[in-house]
Amino acid sequence: MNRTQSDVTAPLVLQEDVVLVPCAELDPKLRGQISFEKGDFVLSHRRRRARSKVIDGGTAALLALFREPRTIVSAVIENSRTLGADPRARFDELLPPLAAFVEDHVLVQAGSAQQDALRPRLDSGTRVAGWDVVRCVNFHIDTEVYEVRREDRVAALKIARTATAAVKAMLKNEVAVLQRLDGSGVTPPLIESGVHETRPYLLVDWIDGVDAGVAAAQRSNDRASQIALCASIAAAYAEMHARGVLHGDIHPRNVIAGPRVALIDFSLSRFTRGRRIVLRGGIDLFYEPEYFAGLRAGTGMPSSPAGEQYGVAALLYFLIAGRHYIEFRYDGDEMGQQVLHEPPLPFAARGLAPWPEVERVLFRALEKDPARRYPSMAEFAAALAAVRDAAAQETLATSVSTDANALLDTTLRSFARGGDVFQRATIAEGCAGAAVGLLRIAEARSDPALLALAD
């Protein structure tokens, strides 16, 4: 409470990435996935991994007062007047949640570095380690990513926003992982790492392409292309596992699809052998059941090969279906229960045509019991590759059949009355043989017009 007590008289402001939305105004489908009462709001963040949460209307109204800098005391007094409540009682009631909002950086001191924490800190043209910043690609509360250039070479710069021990550990971990992977073909090669004005950074080769979510949307009407993308993603994770690395942060933006599939952002990764350096992180929607079981037991659950297989299968389902494998509710406890107990929905339940070959592979990787999944990521990837190859063969066969039929139709038109061959043909040129050929085709096609032409 010391920190909050010191903030009682200091002007605070609502962090600019905070979004407050009335639950009643949410999309009906999303409303069905959360538990709320009349007048409740959803509090979410645009730039942070923090989970969205439901808060009551009174708390939302209180937070909205901090759009302009004010002290906790003045905000509580104004909120009490609006509600017709006793300020002292209201203060005692609100102090614990306000303390949590300060701890979570929902409320920050006005004019502090934290208030500016969600703006890129490097302008275009800034020079870092001999590289010129072109643009900010992405930034979160802890790191920023920039496109940088030196002469004709383009790279990606990832730099800490604040040199805290936790962020330093994550970047140090990422450097170690990139060195292990050594530009394996599924990760960008590490160029260098260092410190710029007290902030650690790393530089990797620039990867052209779009994130997996965009790539999947571009292929939404082409199943052969969809399964080719999914098989390539699974193969990339399999290659990484073969080199003794678990990614630990599965979601579409960490997969880049271009001339080849590349995996990025290894700050939460770990080696399959050795002590964990960073804590478990990621997005709940792609967590495995073992993780939620560990939460309930209070033991935690580090990333594992079988757990990551589950997460990749959840990702691939999402890329194909455009929705998650479970109709998730957004309450954390309810979501955990769903992952532990609810089976994946068939594609038909998502309004898609059934795809038994793909569903069979994904559903095995999404088994609740790790022992019932594929023995390894490599075998999961191989199963998807087999479906991809079969789809490619089917596409090729269909294409060849279409081309052959088109050629045959063109040829038959030349034999028809008035056609080029019909007009030029003589008995000496083999009209009898052509007639027999036309008879066989007419019989195969059950085509009376061809039968008459053969006659």
Side-chain angles (χ1 to χ4, degrees), residues 263-384:
L263 306 179
I264 60 171
D265 192 358
F266 296 90
S267 57
L268 297 175
S269 300
R270 76 179 189 92
F271 300 126
T272 51
R273 295 182 179 180
R275 185 175 61 86
R276 272 190 300 162
I277 298 175
V278 295
L279 297 175
R280 181 74 187 265
I283 294 179
D284 293 6
L285 298 165
F286 304 106
Y287 279 156
E288 69 277 18
E290 306 92 278
Y291 170 81
F292 288 103
L295 283 184
R296 294 186 67 188
T299 59
M301 181 65 198
S303 52
S304 67
E308 194 141 287
Q309 180 188 143
Y310 187 100
V312 172
L315 169 65
L316 301 184
Y317 184 108
F318 175 74
L319 295 180
I320 293 171
R323 295 172 66 185
H324 295 287
Y325 69 102
I326 292 172
E327 193 66 49
F328 282 117
R329 297 184 66 81
Y330 282 92
D331 175 82
D333 291 337
E334 291 179 3
M335 180 184 292
Q337 287 295 319
Q338 288 180 289
V339 175
L340 284 167
H341 301 295
E342 290 187 18
L345 292 166
F347 286 172
R350 292 307 198 189
L352 300 175
W355 198 354
E357 305 86 350
V358 174
E359 292 174 74
R360 186 163 47 248
V361 174
L362 293 183
F363 290 2
R364 180 176 175 183
L366 289 167
E367 285 281 359
K368 306 302 182 185
D369 180 358
R372 295 175 63 86
R373 299 172 200 155
Y374 288 94
S376 68
M377 182 66 74
E379 292 184 59
F380 175 37
L384 286 170

Side-chain angles (χ1 to χ4, degrees), residues 100-122:
F101 288 136
V102 172
E103 287 296 322
D104 293 341
H105 305 292
V106 174
L107 294 174
V108 297
Q109 286 197 11
S112 68
Q114 288 179 333
Q115 186 180 355
D116 296 327
L118 297 178
R119 298 186 181 92
R121 295 189 174 177
L122 299 178

Side-chain angles (χ1 to χ4, degrees), residues 423-446:
Q423 290 179 335
R424 291 188 294 102
T426 67
I427 291 178
E429 292 172 328
C431 275
V436 171
L438 289 170
L439 176 62
R440 297 289 180 264
I441 296 171
E443 291 172 341
R445 287 190 168 190
S446 300

